[in-house]
Amino acid sequence: MAGQKKVLFLGLLAFLWAGVDIEGKEDEEETCRLLGKFDLNGYVDAKNHTLIIGGIFPIHSRIIPANKSILEPVSAKCEGFNFRGFRWMKTMIHTLKEINERKDILPNITLGYQIFDNCFSVPKTLEAVLVFLTGQEENKPHFRNSTGAYLAGVVGAGGSSLSIAASRILVLYDLPQVGYASTCPTLGDKYQFPTFIRTVPSDIAQIRSVVNLIFHFGWPWIGIISSGDDYGKYASSYLRENLQAKKTCLAFSEVIPKIYSKEKIQKVIDTIEKSTARVIVLYASDLDLGPLVMAIVHHNITGRTWIASEAWITSAALAKPEYFPYFGGTIGFAVPRADIPGLKEFLYDIHPSKDPTDVLTIEFWQTAFNCTWPNSSVPYNTDHRVDVIGQGDRLQAMSDEFCTGQEKLEELQNTYLDVSQLRITNNVRQAVYALAYALDRLSRCEEGHGPYIPGNTCAYIPDFEPWQLMYYMKTLKFTTQSGRRIEIDEHGEVIGVYEILNWQLDDNGEIAFVKVGRCMHTVSKNELVMKKDATIFWNTESSELPISVCTEVCPPGTRKGVRQGEPVCCFDCIPCLDGYVSEKPGQKVCTECGEDYWSNAQKNKCVLKEMEFLAYDEALGFTLVTLSIFGTLMVMAVTLVYVTHRHTPLVSANDRLLSFLIQASLVITLLSSMLFIGKPHNWSCIARQMALALGFTLCLSCILGKTTTLFLAYRISKSKTRLLSMRPLYRKIMVLTSVLVEIGICTAYLVWEPPRAYKNIDNQNVRIFLECDEGSVEFLCTMFGLDVFLALLCFLTSFVARQLPDNYYEGKCITFGMLVFFIVWISFVPAYLSTKGKFKVAVEIFAILASSYGLLGCLFLPKCFIILLRPQRNTEETVGGRVPAVDRSIQLTSASVSSELNNTTVSTVLND
């Protein structure tokens, strides 16, 4: 497979680089020649060195767009000097110098370098790789021989897209490549990139850390902006998958164009402004972010919290005080910081006068001091793009001020000389050391104990095969001078260790990268730890934790309602139904309250339902109690009158004992109404029904005894034959029998299915009616059916006897009393069925009181009137006088019916 790849690659090179002269004769020898050279800038130190290490760095930030009028392809030129990339390149040179001076690594072997600027672009990266392999002076390719020394490996090429492009070619020859800033997960695919390793963690580790950070702060609504290259594309894809797994919604996902486009940048700006997401993940390099940052500043977009990737979190090009109102409070991940001994002094050891042909140093000097180096053709601060605020092309070629050479680097404050945040810079150093340690292990191999099969052979410097070095690279472990342990596994990955940084202003008004936490990613876990004593600056009006939601969290009392076609983080807040509550914010469903509970007005809490019953302390209950007591006092007053005048004819007439029993039963019925008031209990439910039923039974049976006597008296007055009178004993037996039957029914009722107190929740949702469950309806109907039967007999007998001739119309009074009784209870039925709750009980009490008052008034008030106010009528003559039988015009009394039959006086049948 490798051989086929090489053939294809050679054919491609022949097609791209060489022209074939076919105009001569067929037997003429074909010759190859270069059509042109790549316009590459860099540094080479290959003479007198055993091995060469290649380096590719983004010393410029972009290439100048090609002139579309020129049809022939040319090697593009670069612009936008990148101090950060220049420092990385210098760090590689410094590290190689340090290794060559050490005696414990590669003794008697020195390392040279060949470094090129890839201008942060794929075309320049490919040009650099091809020059590594073939050079530009030979008339035919000689791989790994462009400088005359042996190429051991390549450090680079910066961003993920650049490393992927370089690796596509380097992998054809198994040439080791060590990435220092390429985090794209795709590079971990050893099928595609078997010779690529890196000293920076994969984006998989960083993305999981980003998701954990978002989850830690509870942000459900996130925006993503990524660069339009492999670094941003794959990171955005992995990030979306991980956010979805954590139930976090994606507000938007925008791409920063790799080739500048004002329209596309404006589209990103519009999305940021319109979105409600206040937390945005910005996954791009600092070089790609330049146009977007300028656009954000121009449009005055503030109030956003940016989550930064390791590619720009510590970039001095972006961390400027003038950008703080827009990017202050940025929180993101950075590889661990390290100190590199001697690097600062090495960086200061630079001056254009040392090498007039060093165009990169001259350009550095011109850009750093804003001047033009004399007698130099190096362009100054050129930018061929149309900037984001539409000012047009800026084509300034030279500065009006010339450099004197006396400028002082100590007065500069730029990224190149800033050694306080050596993070990616330290990765460059570790990448160089990784190659050096692998070469050192290869050089120390002992024949017969080597790793290569068969024969346990060894490889030798300088003519080893690249795959032989890769064996050591994949199992590399070493400790840096700072004490950090570096372990590269078989997949070419290192353990993901990050520091969590927050952008804050220091006392000097400069942006400080404050460490607020750390994160470590391994195969088995991803651990995020925030510092307890760290103060995080948030770029919000309140300086508190930003809130980033599509919809505000639903308050208690509402639930989430899904919006069709929108993310789950976008929802409507729907109020809970009656009887349902949501006690916590953001609940998806409302919880039903228990049987004894109901939702409050805010629907955020279940409260006990109002227990409703006819209470003594409310107006209605108090009124009914008053009427009951007043009625009882009236009955007792009547009884007192009767007792006081018990020997008078009117009291003695028609069975005095029955009158006292009627009065006692009225007291029972009137007082039983009070058992209907107050909170129902089992005992009160039983007592009130038993007392009411027995009270009415006693009352009606006594009345029936009276009406039966009147009925017989009436029959005697109408008959010409002598009838047997109804003796007082018979009346008492009738009363006793009725009461005993009622007691029997009540006893069976209590044994079979007695009344009980219960909570009625059928009729109302917000109230619980405390009522009495009457138990067996059949027994209840039977119990009160006996009273109805007695009342009906009383009414019929009294109605028949109403025309009994008497000085005192007791028959009529009983008739009226029974009419009142029936009217009350007939009216009670529809009223009782149409009311609920305590009013239902009040209707029943009113019926009891009304019927009791009706009987009291009709039966006893007329007699009390005569006894107290008309005592002259309370005499034997008036109550029980005699009349001749021949004088039919004289009315007979109901108290003493006398009939002159056969000139015989008929004794009264009504007296005791």
Side-chain angles (χ1 to χ4, degrees), residues 799-843:
F799 183 77
V800 171
R802 73 187 186 283
Q803 296 180 351
L804 180 69
D806 194 351
N807 292 333
Y808 177 67
Y809 302 102
E810 188 174 19
K812 292 183 179 180
C813 292
I814 295 175
T815 301
F816 284 127
M818 297 313 299
L819 281 175
V820 171
F821 184 86
F822 276 112
I823 290 172
V824 169
W825 285 101
I826 291 173
S827 302
F828 159 77
V829 174
Y832 183 81
L833 296 177
S834 61
T835 55
K836 298 175 183 178
K838 61 183 180 181
F839 298 104
K840 192 173 186 179
V841 178
V843 169

Side-chain angles (χ1 to χ4, degrees), residues 440-491:
D440 182 67
R441 289 182 60 193
L442 183 146
S443 67
R444 297 178 187 273
C445 178
E446 296 180 3
E447 193 65 33
H449 299 281
Y452 312 118
I453 300 175
N456 294 329
T457 58
C458 294
Y460 300 98
I461 294 177
D463 57 350
F464 60 88
E465 292 293 328
W467 63 268
Q468 293 175 316
L469 180 61
M470 278 304 302
Y471 170 83
Y472 294 99
M473 295 291 293
K474 292 181 179 180
T475 57
L476 190 61
K477 299 180 181 179
F478 64 94
T479 302
T480 64
Q481 289 182 324
S482 62
R484 181 185 172 190
R485 185 67 174 172
I486 304 297
E487 297 184 9
I488 299 177
D489 60 22
E490 59 182 3
H491 300 290

Side-chain angles (χ1 to χ4, degrees), residues 626-667:
T626 302
L627 292 175
S628 176
I629 294 175
F630 179 74
T632 302
L633 293 176
M634 287 185 63
V635 174
M636 294 177 67
V638 170
T639 302
L640 181 62
V641 171
Y642 264 57
V643 172
T644 304
H645 300 84
R646 62 185 180 277
H647 299 297
T648 61
L650 191 59
V651 175
S652 300
N654 203 4
D655 204 325
R656 179 174 50 196
L657 179 60
L658 292 182
S659 297
F660 285 123
L661 290 175
I662 292 173
Q663 293 165 17
S665 65
L666 289 178
V667 170

Side-chain angles (χ1 to χ4, degrees), residues 677-692:
I677 304 174
K679 185 177 181 180
H681 300 281
N682 288 341
W683 67 267
S684 63
C685 291
I686 295 173
R688 71 187 189 182
Q689 296 295 354
M690 300 302 107
L692 183 61

Side-chain angles (χ1 to χ4, degrees), residues 386-397:
V386 177
D387 64 21
V388 293
I389 55 177
Q391 293 180 345
D393 293 343
R394 292 178 293 172
L395 301 174
Q396 182 181 2

